[in-house]
Amino acid sequence: MPYIAPEVIEQARRIDLLTYLQACEPDELVRISPNNYTTRTHDSLKISNGKWMWWSQRIGGYNALDYLVKVRGVSFIEAVETLMGRAAVMPTMVCAKPKEDVPKVLLLPEKSPSTDKVTEYLFGRGIDYGVIEYCISHELIFENLPYHNAVFVGYDREHKPRYAAFRATNSTRIMGDCSGSDKHYSFRIAESRNEELHLFECAIDLLSYATLDVMAGRDWRANNLVSLSGVYLSKKRPEDSKTPMALSQFLSENPSMRKISLHFDNDAAGRNASLALRAKLADRYEIEDCPPQYGKDYNDFLCRKLGLSREKSNERRRER
């Protein structure tokens, strides 16, 4: 294999995709908005603020080198040689992986004009139609193209999308976070002045709890509901565990909170997470452990309560 010096490889990695296409393949570049682009060959590949994401294949990267290898199928050596051979004609504009203190750039998938698949999927999991309608009308949930996945969106205080998770509405059980998601702003429905926070592992459990409120005749909008976008992995010693990002962010923005109700799963991970947060936060907040009365999680509990049969063991394992 030909030898390429590490400093040459590093230089090649610093060339961003937009700069490369503008200088070397301008006919391949298609502008779709002031700061967003796609390509003529792959219209599901989006480029924004130094990052790119190929939605149809669910792969992405930060630079032109990743693009040549992952999208074009070029060998790594050939990709480096291509970039360095053309570096002379490209402007001096480079990209690097964002530092932790630089805001992440969220790449949202294309929205479908219809929400039929998402509505059918959520309703099939027992979620109340009124709760679904509220989330869709407030752009907390939408259906994407071309796969018609359900996308759950989290916003910052300026109502700017900062987090999004997708999950398939069919039997494939594909799920994950959209590129650039910041878990400080995970999916939440929390505009109440109530001093209690209800915390969940995922969006589906949050929506299930809201549905249970509806079934009990309670106003679910009177609650502050926040999800952690996945299981909270605690340390062996509870006091060594870090506070989840979504929880820290919400508490910093809402200093009036006095109580936190934990609605984690009835499994080892959920019980350990509850124990860790009680040890971590009990000196500042009233902490109540509120797992589902039966079943593995709140959606399991809801489905059983409604008489819905779902095989969820695989689904939840893959979600984690």
Side-chain angles (χ1 to χ4, degrees):
M1 178 181 292
Y3 173 77
I4 300 180
E7 58 268 23
V8 175
I9 295 176
E10 180 60 26
Q11 191 175 353
R13 290 189 189 280
R14 290 168 58 85
I15 300 172
D16 71 281
L17 179 55
L18 179 59
T19 297
Y20 168 76
L21 292 176
Q22 286 175 329
C24 304
E25 300 182 35
D27 291 341
E28 179 67 7
L29 198 60
V30 179
R31 189 174 185 175
I32 54 178
S33 70
N35 296 309
N36 295 278
Y37 298 81
T38 186
T39 64
R40 295 193 187 281
T41 303
H42 304 291
D43 59 6
S44 70
L45 190 151
K46 310 300 181 187
I47 307 167
S48 177
N49 295 303
K51 294 184 63 176
W52 61 268
M53 182 71 183
W54 192 11
W55 288 103
S56 66
Q57 302 300 314
R58 295 181 175 83
I59 59 175
Y62 291 92
N63 52 45
L65 183 60
D66 289 340
Y67 168 80
L68 291 174
V69 173
K70 297 177 181 179
V71 179
R72 292 291 184 83
V74 175
S75 71
F76 182 80
I77 297 295
E78 185 181 351
V80 173
E81 291 175 341
T82 297
L83 290 171
M84 298 315 297
R86 298 188 179 187
V89 300
M90 286 187 277
T92 307
M93 182 177 179
V94 298
C95 72
K97 190 172 182 178
K99 297 179 181 178
E100 289 191 6
D101 58 348
V102 177
K104 295 183 178 181
V105 178
L106 176 62
L107 297 180
L108 289 173
E110 183 179 353
K111 289 183 180 181
S112 168
S114 167
T115 57
D116 293 347
K117 293 288 186 182
V118 165
T119 300
E120 180 183 3
Y121 167 73
L122 293 174
F123 195 69
R125 294 195 62 166
I127 308 303
D128 176 74
Y129 182 74
V131 174
I132 299 171
E133 192 174 48
Y134 173 88
C135 291
I136 290 175
S137 66
H138 286 76
E139 299 184 315
L140 295 167
I141 298 175
F142 68 88
E143 185 173 317
N144 81 339
L145 290 176
Y147 303 104
H148 300 281
N149 296 328
V151 181
F152 303 87
V153 185
Y155 295 85
D156 62 19
R157 300 190 78 171
E158 285 69 47
H159 201 67
K160 177 182 178 181
R162 298 288 296 276
Y163 171 86
F166 63 88
R167 59 185 301 146
T169 55
N170 55 31
S171 60
T172 59
R173 310 303 346 134
I174 294 171
M175 57 194 72
D177 291 345
C178 293
S179 179
S181 285
D182 186 342
K183 287 195 175 184
H184 286 90
Y185 303 94
S186 59
F187 182 81
R188 66 174 72 167
I189 305 175
E191 297 179 352
S192 170
R193 295 189 178 183
N194 193 311
E195 295 181 347
E196 179 180 2
L197 166 63
H198 295 267
L199 197 63
F200 305 86
E201 290 187 18
C202 67
I204 292 294
D205 287 341
L206 183 158
L207 298 173
S208 299
Y209 184 85
T211 298
L212 289 165
D213 267 354
V214 173
M215 292 169 60
R218 296 187 292 265
D219 179 11
W220 66 277
R221 292 287 316 284
N223 295 323
N224 292 301
L225 312 175
V226 174
S227 75
L228 296 181
S229 308
V231 67
Y232 166 50
L233 300 176
S234 56
K235 300 288 186 182
K236 286 186 178 180
R237 294 203 319 160
E239 60 271 22
D240 293 336
S241 299
K242 293 182 178 179
T243 304
M245 290 184 286
L247 176 57
S248 294
Q249 185 68 30
F250 182 81
L251 293 176
S252 69
E253 293 176 356
N254 298 273
S256 63
M257 291 296 115
R258 297 289 179 266
K259 179 179 179 180
I260 303 174
S261 294
L262 306 175
H263 303 279
F264 296 160
D265 291 1
N266 275 322
D267 59 9
R271 298 301 84 224
N272 288 337
S274 178
L275 180 65
L277 284 184
R278 280 181 282 164
K280 191 82 176 176
L281 302 173
D283 60 334
R284 286 169 284 167
Y285 301 93
E286 178 187 348
I287 309 292
E288 185 175 1
D289 187 22
C290 306
Q293 295 176 29
Y294 52 83
K296 181 181 181 296
D297 53 65
Y298 265 88
N299 187 243
D300 193 14
F301 174 46
L302 172 64
C303 288
R304 293 190 190 190
K305 201 173 182 68
L306 292 172
L308 299 175
S309 175
R310 296 192 62 85
E311 177 54 56
K312 298 182 59 185
S313 58
N314 257 355
E315 174 181 315
R316 296 290 290 193
R317 184 161 55 249
R318 292 193 60 176
E319 181 176 356
R320 305 308 186 210

